[in-house]
C-alpha cells in the first residue's frame, strides 16, 4: 500500500471520528412543521389520528380518498337521472388540513354532494372563499396579543371541560360572521375576557357542513398531550353516523422531492454516509489535482550515418568529374526508395509506372513523367554525361521525392 493511500485512509478515519464525536449524545431537533401528513410522526402530523380513527369514529366505515380530487371522486359516484340524479354513495366527506387544498371545482361538486342529503366535515384554519361566500360566513384571526388559551364545546352536556391550548400551538382563527338564523354554534375558543366561535354546523338544502378552525386538535401532539384527545372525541362526535370519505390527497407525502436522493436524505445514517462519501471524494480530488508521472528521459534519435556516407561518396565522385557514375547511383537510390515506400515495380519505367507513382505518392504527373524521360534518356545515351545532365536529373528526383 502506497504512502499516499495511507494518508487518504487516515484523513477519512479522522473525519469519521469527528462526525461521531460531534453527533455523540446530540438530541435530534424536533420538527415543528405543520405537515398534517398521515405518515408523519412529528408533532403536527396525523400519524396517531390515522391509526386511531376507527376508535374516534366508532362503528363508521372509513374510506380514504387519496388518488384523485374531491370532484373526480364524487363525480365518479354520481348517477345521472331523468329527474334530479343521485349518488351511489351516502355519508360524510371528511378533511383535516392546515389550509384548504380543495380546488373550486371540487367545492362546487361538494355543495352538490351535500345538497343530496350528505354531509361535509372540514377542519382547517381557513376555508375556500367560494365556500364562505355561499354559506354567508366570514372568518378572521385574533390580534397577536389576544391569546385564546382555551377551547370548549357549546353543549355542556356533551363535554363541560375547557382545554388549555396556547396561541402558538393553535392559531386564533375564528368565525367572525355567521347566519345566526341557520347556523348552529358547536364550539368556542377564548380567554377570560372574550370568546370566539371556532366550530359551527351550517345546513345546505338537504345536508350539512361542519366547519372547524382547529385542525391542530387532531395532530399527534394534542392527541397524546394530557386529556386533549377528549376534545377531539367531542368534536368528532358531531360527525353523522354512516360512511366517512376521508380526503387525504397531498397528506401522504406526495409532495416530497422527486430527487433520487430523497430517501437517503430522509435517513440520518444514510445522509451522513453520503456526506462522508462526498468529503472523501473531495479530499481525493484535492490530493490528485496534478497527474503524477515519472519523468520520461528524452532519447535523441540515432544519427543517419547512411545519409552522411552517401553525401561523402557523392562528393568524391563529383570531385573526380565522374558524372555518369553519380547519375547512376542517384537513379538506383531513387528506384530503391520507390520500391520500398510505394511497393511499385521499377523494372519498366513506362506509362503504367508513371500512373501508379502519381496515384500513390500524390506528386505532380508532369514532374514524374519528366524524371522518367530523363532516366530513360540517360540509359540510352552512349556518350558521357555532362554536369548539366546531373543537375537536371538531381532536380527532377528532388521534385518527386520531396
Amino acid at each position: 500500500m502506497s504512502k499516499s493511500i495511507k494518508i487518504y485512509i487516515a484523513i477519512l478515519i479522522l473525519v469519521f471520528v469527528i462526525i461521531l464525536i460531534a453527533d455523540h449524545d446530540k438530541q435530534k431537533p424536533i420538527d415543528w412543521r405543520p405537515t398534517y401528513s398521515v405518515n408523519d410522526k412529528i408533532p403536527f402530523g396525523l400519524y396517531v389520528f390515522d391509526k386511531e380513527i376507527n376508535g374516534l369514529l366508532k362503528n363508521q366505515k372509513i374510506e380514504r380518498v387519496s388518488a384523485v380530487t374531491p370532484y373526480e371522486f364524487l363525480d365518479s359516484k354520481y348517477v345521472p337521472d331523468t329527474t334530479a340524479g343521485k349518488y351511489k354513495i351516502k355519508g360524510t366527506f371528511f378533511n383535516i388540513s392546515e389550509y384548504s387544498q380543495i380546488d373550486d371545482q371540487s367545492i362546487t361538486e361538494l355543495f352538490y354532494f351535500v345538497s343530496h342529503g350528505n354531509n361535509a366535515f372540514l377542519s382547517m384554519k381557513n376555508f375556500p372563499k367560494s365556500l364562505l361566500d355561499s354559506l354567508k360566513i366570514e372568518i378572521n384571526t385574533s390580534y397577536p396579543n389576544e391569546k385564546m388559551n382555551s377551547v370548549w364545546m357549546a353543549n355542556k352536556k356533551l363535554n363541560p371541560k375547557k382545554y388549555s391550548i396556547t396561541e402558538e400551538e393553535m392559531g386564533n382563527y375564528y368565525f367572525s360572521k355567521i347566519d345566526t338564523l341557520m347556523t348552529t354554534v358547536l364550539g368556542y375558543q377564548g380567554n377570560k375576557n372574550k370568546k370566539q366561535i371556532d366550530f359551527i354546523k351550517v345546513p345546505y338544502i338537504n345536508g350539512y357542513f361542519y366547519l372547524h378552525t382547529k385542525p391542530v386538535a387532531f395532530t399527534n401532539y394534542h392527541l397524546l398531550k394530557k386529556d386533549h384527545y377528549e376534545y377531539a372525541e367531542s368534536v368528532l362526535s358531531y360527525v353523522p353516523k354512516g360512511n366517512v370519505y376521508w380526503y387525504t390527497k397531498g397528506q401522504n407525502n406526495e409532495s416530497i422531492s422527486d430527487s433520487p436522493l430523497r430517501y437517503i436524505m430522509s435517513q440520518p445514517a444514510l445522509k451522513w454516509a453520503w456526506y462522508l462519501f462526498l468529503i472523501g471524494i473531495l479530499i481525493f480530488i484535492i490530493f490528485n489535482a496534478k497527474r503524477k508521472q515519472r519523468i520520461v528521459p528524452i532519447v535523441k534519435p540515432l544519427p543517419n550515418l547512411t545519409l552522411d556516407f552517401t553525401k561523402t561518396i557523392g562528393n568524391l565522385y563529383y570531385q573526380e568529374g565522374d558524372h555518369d557514375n553519380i547519375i547512376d547511383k542517384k537513379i538506383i537510390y531513387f528506384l530503391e526508395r520507390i520500391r520500398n515506400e510505394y511497393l511499385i515495380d521499377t523494372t519498366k519505367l513506362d506509362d503504367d509506372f508513371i500512373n501508379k507513382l502519381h496515384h500513390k505518392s500524390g506528386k505532380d504527373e508532369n514532374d514524374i513523367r519528366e524524371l522518367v524521360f530523363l532516366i530513360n534518356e540517360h540509359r540510352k545515351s552512349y556518350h558521357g554525361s555532362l554536369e548539366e545532365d546531373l543537375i537536371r536529373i538531381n532536380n527532377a528526383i528532388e521534385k518527386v521525392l520531396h
Side-chain angles (χ1 to χ4, degrees), residues 304-315:
N304 192 344
L305 299 178
T306 302
L307 183 60
D308 293 338
F309 176 75
T310 302
K311 288 180 179 179
T312 302
I313 297 299
N315 290 332

Side-chain angles (χ1 to χ4, degrees), residues 164-391:
S164 178
I165 299 173
T166 64
E167 173 194 354
E168 290 78 12
E169 293 172 358
M170 298 294 276
N172 297 325
Y173 288 82
Y174 65 96
F175 297 106
S176 57
K177 180 182 177 181
I178 61 174
D179 185 351
T180 55
L181 295 178
M182 302 293 294
T183 304
T184 303
V185 177
L186 302 179
Y188 296 96
Q189 66 177 19
N191 53 34
K192 293 181 180 180
N193 303 317
K194 181 183 291 187
K195 72 174 182 180
Q196 299 164 341
I197 301 170
D198 68 353
F199 187 23
I200 58 176
K201 174 184 177 182
V202 186
Y204 183 78
I205 308 180
N206 296 320
Y208 292 92
F209 280 92
Y210 295 84
L211 306 181
H212 182 245
T213 64
K214 298 295 179 291
V216 78
F218 305 105
T219 59
N220 303 326
Y221 181 80
H222 286 288
L223 288 180
L224 299 176
K225 183 180 180 181
K226 298 181 181 178
D227 57 356
H228 289 187
Y229 71 91
E230 295 176 354
Y231 174 74
E233 287 180 336
S234 299
V235 172
L236 294 177
S237 68
Y238 282 101
V239 177
K241 299 300 180 182
N243 295 332
V244 174
Y245 305 99
W246 184 15
Y247 178 61
T248 61
K249 184 175 174 61
Q251 297 173 261
N252 295 286
N253 292 339
E254 299 97 336
S255 60
I256 60 175
S257 170
D258 290 332
S259 169
L261 299 176
R262 62 184 181 273
Y263 181 75
I264 292 177
M265 301 308 290
S266 68
Q267 304 297 317
L270 292 178
K271 181 174 70 173
W272 279 111
W274 173 248
Y275 287 153
L276 184 62
F277 169 74
L278 292 181
I279 292 171
I281 290 294
L282 181 61
I283 293 172
F284 179 81
I285 292 173
I286 292 173
F287 278 88
N288 288 272
K290 281 186 162 186
R291 181 181 176 188
K292 294 182 179 179
Q293 181 176 345
R294 289 185 300 175
I295 298 174
V296 179
I298 299 175
V299 180
K300 294 183 178 180
L302 296 174
N304 192 344
L305 299 178
T306 302
L307 183 60
D308 293 338
F309 176 75
T310 302
K311 288 180 179 179
T312 302
I313 297 299
N315 290 332
L316 179 62
Y317 280 118
Y318 184 74
Q319 290 172 4
E320 294 294 329
D322 191 356
H323 301 126
D324 281 328
N325 208 341
I326 295 175
I327 292 173
D328 289 338
K329 294 293 188 293
K330 279 190 167 290
I331 292 172
I332 292 171
Y333 170 73
F334 167 72
L335 296 178
E336 178 67 21
R337 180 117 171 237
I338 295 302
R339 288 193 294 271
N340 290 335
E341 288 190 14
Y342 302 113
L343 304 177
I344 299 175
D345 183 18
T346 60
T347 305
K348 291 180 66 177
L349 304 182
D350 51 10
D351 289 338
D352 184 51
F353 170 81
I354 292 171
N355 290 330
K356 288 181 179 179
L357 183 56
H358 167 62
H359 288 103
K360 287 194 174 185
S361 67
K363 303 297 181 181
D364 187 82
E365 185 177 353
N366 293 328
D367 292 339
I368 298 173
R369 192 173 295 280
E370 180 183 0
L371 176 57
V372 170
F373 172 76
L374 292 175
I375 293 174
N376 288 332
E377 283 296 313
H378 172 74
R379 287 177 173 177
K380 293 176 183 178
S381 176
Y382 295 101
H383 56 79
S385 299
L386 301 176
E387 184 177 349
E388 291 79 4
D389 298 329
L390 173 60
I391 293 173

Side-chain angles (χ1 to χ4, degrees), residues 52-70:
E52 299 296 330
I53 189 171
N54 290 320
L56 294 169
L57 296 173
K58 297 185 173 94
N59 303 320
Q60 292 176 268
K61 181 181 177 182
I62 313 298
E63 180 179 341
R64 290 167 175 79
V65 180
S66 60
V68 295
T69 64

Side-chain angles (χ1 to χ4, degrees), residues 5 33 109 121 152 155 163 168 215 217 223 295 320 324 383:
I5 294 178
R33 291 178 301 125
E109 184 67 26
F121 180 95
W152 64 93
N155 185 354
Y163 299 88
E168 290 78 12
L223 288 180
I295 298 174
E320 294 294 329
D324 281 328
H383 56 79

Side-chain angles (χ1 to χ4, degrees), residues 107-124:
I107 290 294
T108 302
E109 184 67 26
L110 192 57
F111 271 113
Y112 202 63
F113 178 69
V114 172
S115 69
H116 281 68
N118 298 293
N119 304 285
F121 180 95
L122 305 177
S123 181
M124 54 191 67

